[in-house]
Amino acid sequence: MDFDNINRTELAQLGEFGLIKHLTQHIKLTHQSTIKGVGDDAAVINNANLQTVISTDMLVEGVHFDLTYVPLKHLGFKSVAVNLSDIYAMNAEPKQILVSIAISNRFSLEALEELYAGMLLACNKYNIDLVGGDTTTNQSGLVISITAIGTAKFDDIVYRNGAKESNLLCVSGDLGGAYMGLQILEREKTIFKDNPKIQPDLSGKDYILERQLKPEPRKDIIDVLKKLAIKPTAMIDISDGLSSEILHICTQSEVGVELYEEKIPIDQLTFDTAREFNLDPTLCALSGGEDYELLFTIDIGDYEKIKNVKEFTIIGHITNKAKGCNMVAKAGTVHELKAQGWNAMQNKA
Ligand code: ADP
Ligand code: MG
């Protein structure tokens, strides 16, 4: 992307400290537990008698994002969102983040302002204090590393290893949309490269583009579960695709699973777009990734509490380990679940 727009302030004009000061000047701290934010050698947090839950994620230009079609503000929002998703997946409440960036002089101050505007938008929406980070230079691409810190009561934390035989397997929202959004963006990029005069055609694809560009971590699901007094036995967020995440739960819990293809929630636009690309919609849900929905198992005794909840779907149940990890296809045939990444999927397409 070309950042040589009308207002371009070179980073060299500010220097490292000037830049940090500029980017962090509008930060507001809201959590009582945040004792010290940006400005000293380290941030200080007081979690009193709560457990501290920490996670970190790194996003690398050219590997995790492509600035030819990802607006920096969206990238900022998404980089925070994916970190918060990991904390919610522990059934914990994220409260603070640290943001580290490696940048080259290719980026202007205005470009970084956009990135931070997106990050602060996510912080505002999910009530997060940005309490520090690190700023360094880099030869070429942009690197963003975010650490999220949250809290939970000892007994509330949900790990991947607690699923038990006969538990119900549930998933929030719908799957495969983020992957199809990416396919649309990649297609339009290729067309644009071949003929820059052709404007990208993204019409009618809003939902899946948003799923790719602006994922929302499912704080609302954590709230719903709390309200229903349900503590999942195991939980994970879906960053790599449904099958890979199911296998993580099964491996760590030492159980098997029966997943029903017909139950996997897929949005109509995702379904139609997959067909347009000659892809199997189920495969997009199983292997697509980046949906950032929550996958969890609950005790069968909780069924009555959830049967009318619209925010999530029961897609299968946990079995004995000896039965293996399988999907019952719409046709009734049984298939072993495999952790296929994006590459495997491309080959199948
Ligand atoms: P040090 O040299 O001691 O590591 P820095 O100059 O890197 O200190 O950082 C000064 C303060 O600014 C610290 O509070 C740090 O957390 C914060 N900070 C540095 N870079 C960023 C950034 N990119 N975003 C938010 N805060 C930052
Ligand atoms: Mg530093």
Side-chain angles (χ1 to χ4, degrees):
M1 193 184 258
D2 190 4
F3 298 114
D4 290 310
N5 36 31
I6 338 136
N7 298 315
R8 183 181 165 104
T9 311
E10 295 299 332
L11 295 179
Q13 278 173 248
L14 290 106
E16 184 189 330
F17 300 122
L19 174 65
I20 295 171
K21 203 168 166 203
H22 186 88
L23 293 176
T24 58
Q25 64 187 337
H26 299 302
I27 290 174
K28 285 187 200 74
L29 303 177
T30 61
H31 285 286
Q32 231 180 359
S33 57
T34 307
I35 308 299
K36 180 76 192 179
V38 172
D40 214 307
D41 296 310
V44 179
I45 294 168
N46 178 2
N47 283 335
N49 53 353
L50 293 171
Q51 303 287 299
T52 302
V53 181
I54 310 183
S55 171
T56 194
D57 257 313
M58 182 141 58
L59 295 174
V60 178
E61 184 178 356
V63 179
H64 302 102
F65 58 89
D66 184 334
L67 289 178
T68 47
Y69 52 67
V70 178
L72 279 162
K73 194 170 174 181
H74 285 75
L75 179 63
F77 187 96
K78 181 171 176 175
S79 58
V80 173
V82 303
N83 272 276
L84 302 184
S85 179
D86 280 320
I87 305 291
Y88 291 126
M90 301 298 291
N91 202 29
E93 182 193 351
K95 289 181 174 162
Q96 290 93 5
I97 56 166
L98 293 138
V99 176
S100 297
I101 50 173
I103 39 174
S104 71
N105 57 12
R106 192 180 126 223
F107 294 90
S108 66
L109 177 65
E110 289 75 17
L112 292 180
E113 277 174 350
E114 279 292 293
L115 181 73
Y116 269 70
M119 292 197 289
L120 291 174
L121 191 66
C123 286
N124 205 12
K125 185 160 185 185
Y126 292 95
N127 192 20
I128 306 295
D129 291 347
L130 202 168
V131 296
D134 198 23
T135 308
T136 184
T137 50
N138 187 20
Q139 296 288 339
S140 57
L142 172 66
V143 179
I144 306 168
S145 171
I146 298 188
T147 299
I149 303 166
T151 57
K153 287 187 196 145
F154 182 87
D155 289 332
D156 286 345
I157 301 181
V158 176
Y159 296 92
R160 295 177 178 183
N161 66 4
K164 298 271 182 306
E165 207 176 325
S166 89
N167 278 179
L168 300 174
L169 180 69
C170 307
V171 71
S172 65
D174 56 73
L175 302 174
Y179 182 75
M180 287 324 301
L182 182 68
Q183 298 314 301
I184 294 284
L185 291 165
E186 289 280 352
R187 179 180 73 187
E188 296 308 315
K189 181 188 166 186
T190 311
I191 295 172
F192 183 76
K193 254 200 206 149
D194 293 344
N195 186 351
K197 285 204 185 99
I198 300 179
Q199 285 299 306
D201 178 16
L202 306 172
S203 57
K205 304 289 189 192
D206 291 17
Y207 178 66
I208 55 175
L209 290 170
E210 254 179 52
R211 295 289 287 165
Q212 170 57 222
L213 293 173
K214 201 170 173 285
E216 300 283 350
R218 299 305 305 259
K219 174 188 195 306
D220 58 324
I221 298 296
I222 300 306
D223 294 342
V224 167
L225 290 169
K226 208 158 263 163
K227 222 165 152 188
L228 295 170
I230 294 173
K231 182 189 170 189
T233 52
M235 185 152 59
I236 188 168
D237 71 327
I238 302 187
S239 51
D240 293 333
L242 181 63
S243 57
S244 145
E245 316 301 359
I246 289 178
L247 290 173
H248 281 309
I249 286 185
C250 289
T251 308
Q252 295 209 20
S253 302
E254 297 186 55
V255 292
V257 71
E258 199 155 74
L259 166 72
Y260 293 91
E261 180 184 12
E262 62 176 4
K263 302 281 187 201
I264 300 173
I266 298 176
D267 172 79
Q268 190 63 45
L269 181 63
T270 303
F271 189 93
D272 295 343
T273 311
R275 279 293 152 84
E276 205 184 300
F277 278 79
N278 279 322
L279 290 167
D280 174 3
T282 299
L283 203 55
C284 295
L286 288 174
S287 307
E290 290 203 287
D291 287 314
Y292 297 103
E293 295 295 342
L294 290 172
L295 175 74
F296 53 95
T297 52
I298 59 171
D299 191 279
I300 187 120
D302 286 328
Y303 175 71
E304 286 298 317
K305 293 187 199 166
I306 65 144
K307 64 179 185 193
N308 295 319
V309 175
K310 61 175 185 344
E311 284 91 348
F312 46 83
T313 315
I314 303 170
I315 55 172
H317 61 265
I318 299 297
T319 63
N320 187 283
K321 188 182 177 189
K323 289 200 168 169
C325 298
N326 300 299
M327 180 178 81
V328 180
K330 286 175 187 160
T333 47
V334 177
H335 306 259
E336 192 191 336
L337 277 182
K338 294 212 173 74
Q340 293 152 324
W342 299 38
N343 293 339
M345 194 164 145
Q346 235 99 29
N347 296 338
K348 272 211 161 183

